[in-house]
Amino acid sequence: MAVDLSKVVGFTLPDRPVGWNKRDLLTYAVGVGAKSDDLSLIYELEKSFAALPTYPVVLQLKGDGQDVNVFAERVKGRPIPGMPPVDPNRIVHGTQSIEILKELPLVSGPGWKMTTRYTGVSENKSGIVVTAENVLVDPNGVPYAKLYSSAFNVGAKAKGDKYTKSIAGPPQAKPIPKDRKPDWVVKDQTTPEQAIVFRLSGDYNPLHIDPKIGVSAGFGGVILHGLATFGFAARGLIKAVANGDPTALKLFGVRFTSPVKPGDALETSVWEVGPGPHGTVEVAFVTKNLTSGKIALGGGIAYIRKAPSPKL
């Protein structure tokens, strides 16, 4: 197949059937650090029980099954027209965003699917970045969430020249204000068992469970799923800005900048930077790994409804 990056953009993959139940929502909530006082996320009989709005990010790997899956088979997709050969062991998750279009039902039932089309590609001297758009739709074709993710194919080469083409993508974060302290700061603690729990949501990549693979990959052992850190930050934002109302979050996006190990401490700093759409505020944020001292999530953007200020 001839290498021509212009053919990547617009290419679609077959729809993937997806599904979930209340137990899946509970498992995901615990996997992203839900605490004993997060009853609306961890107790199915709580009147306000709801899905964390970031839950759909796990569905691309989970699919519609309830058993474990083989990670290598899940990520082995169809060849993308125009792409050069890539090394699956050198693919890095670069960015992730989710826009919540409708509140998720607690149980999907049959007929839900995730659509995929490639909406962007860029080449630089280090490799090729490919952006995919996924849309979660119900059996009637009604969209519930739109996700964008980018994968950095380290070392891949097409022409060896700089090249960029894009037809769609998520909103980009505004710069972090340098002249004021954050409006909210959320500290959280992952556990040494965090990756063991999060993998039960569908991402069974051995990198997150087998220390030998983590060592051979240069991480010194097991690392936490990037989407677990993503969920930690989203849950913290919901708690701090929206007083724990999961329906308040309408868009959430990040850039993955450094790994987190199970047991590391996290701190998310959040700045309100303007009005967002549909009664939300726009915030910019970063999540710092307090254990390593490095930024784990950069370029954070969210649209979220603020909780009403308490009356005096």
Side-chain angles (χ1 to χ4, degrees), residues 207-292:
L207 174 64
H208 305 298
I209 191 72
D210 188 337
K212 297 190 298 296
I213 292 178
V215 170
S216 66
F219 294 114
V222 167
I223 61 171
L224 187 59
H225 306 70
L227 288 178
T229 308
F230 179 93
F232 261 84
R235 182 182 53 76
L237 209 68
I238 289 167
K239 200 164 190 175
V241 181
N243 197 28
D245 177 8
T247 67
L249 186 66
K250 301 303 179 185
L251 178 124
F252 189 82
V254 305
R255 184 176 68 254
F256 298 106
T257 54
S258 71
V260 172
K261 291 188 174 183
D264 286 354
L266 303 173
E267 180 180 82
T268 300
S269 300
V270 187
W271 289 261
E272 185 175 341
V273 292
H278 310 301
T280 63
V281 296
E282 180 178 349
V283 301
F285 66 91
V286 295
T287 297
K288 185 176 183 179
N289 183 336
L290 296 179
T291 305
S292 70

Side-chain angles (χ1 to χ4, degrees), residues 44-277:
E44 69 283 358
L45 298 182
E46 175 73 11
K47 183 182 294 186
S48 59
F49 177 58
L52 263 171
T54 49
Y55 174 73
V57 299
V58 303
L59 289 173
Q60 191 68 4
L61 285 177
K62 177 188 177 297
D64 60 354
Q66 285 299 316
D67 204 350
V68 299
N69 59 64
V70 178
F71 176 77
E73 294 178 358
R74 285 296 162 101
V75 298
K76 185 170 60 180
R78 286 173 54 189
I80 304 172
M83 275 289 287
V86 299
D87 182 350
N89 295 315
R90 303 190 72 195
I91 299 176
V92 178
H93 196 169
T95 64
Q96 180 70 57
S97 72
I98 180 168
E99 179 184 3
I100 297 91
L101 306 173
K102 290 175 69 71
E103 188 176 345
L104 279 187
L106 300 179
V107 177
S108 64
W112 288 68
K113 61 187 179 182
M114 192 78 87
T115 68
T116 302
R117 70 167 178 156
Y118 292 98
T119 61
V121 64
S122 64
E123 180 178 9
N124 57 42
K125 62 182 180 181
S126 302
I128 297 173
V129 179
V130 177
T131 299
E133 175 193 82
N134 301 112
V135 181
L136 174 64
V137 296
D138 72 6
N140 297 314
V142 177
Y144 273 66
K146 180 181 288 187
L147 300 78
Y148 287 99
S149 62
S150 69
F152 182 36
N153 298 272
V154 180
K157 286 193 179 300
K159 300 297 184 184
D161 301 321
K162 283 190 175 182
Y163 177 85
T164 298
K165 181 179 180 182
S166 177
I167 57 173
Q172 298 300 300
K174 291 178 180 174
I176 296 294
K178 302 289 188 184
D179 57 347
R180 59 187 174 94
K181 293 181 178 179
D183 298 296
W184 299 272
V185 177
V186 184
K187 291 189 177 182
D188 218 327
Q189 181 72 49
T190 69
T191 71
E193 297 76 32
Q194 202 71 58
I196 299 173
V197 179
F198 186 82
R199 69 193 301 265
L200 301 179
S201 287
D203 184 345
Y204 293 96
N205 187 340
L207 174 64
H208 305 298
I209 191 72
D210 188 337
K212 297 190 298 296
I213 292 178
V215 170
S216 66
F219 294 114
V222 167
I223 61 171
L224 187 59
H225 306 70
L227 288 178
T229 308
F230 179 93
F232 261 84
R235 182 182 53 76
L237 209 68
I238 289 167
K239 200 164 190 175
V241 181
N243 197 28
D245 177 8
T247 67
L249 186 66
K250 301 303 179 185
L251 178 124
F252 189 82
V254 305
R255 184 176 68 254
F256 298 106
T257 54
S258 71
V260 172
K261 291 188 174 183
D264 286 354
L266 303 173
E267 180 180 82
T268 300
S269 300
V270 187
W271 289 261
E272 185 175 341
V273 292

Side-chain angles (χ1 to χ4, degrees), residues 288-306:
K288 185 176 183 179
N289 183 336
L290 296 179
T291 305
S292 70
K294 297 179 179 180
I295 299 298
L297 303 176
I301 178 175
Y303 299 151
I304 187 168
R305 286 196 314 269
K306 284 171 66 173

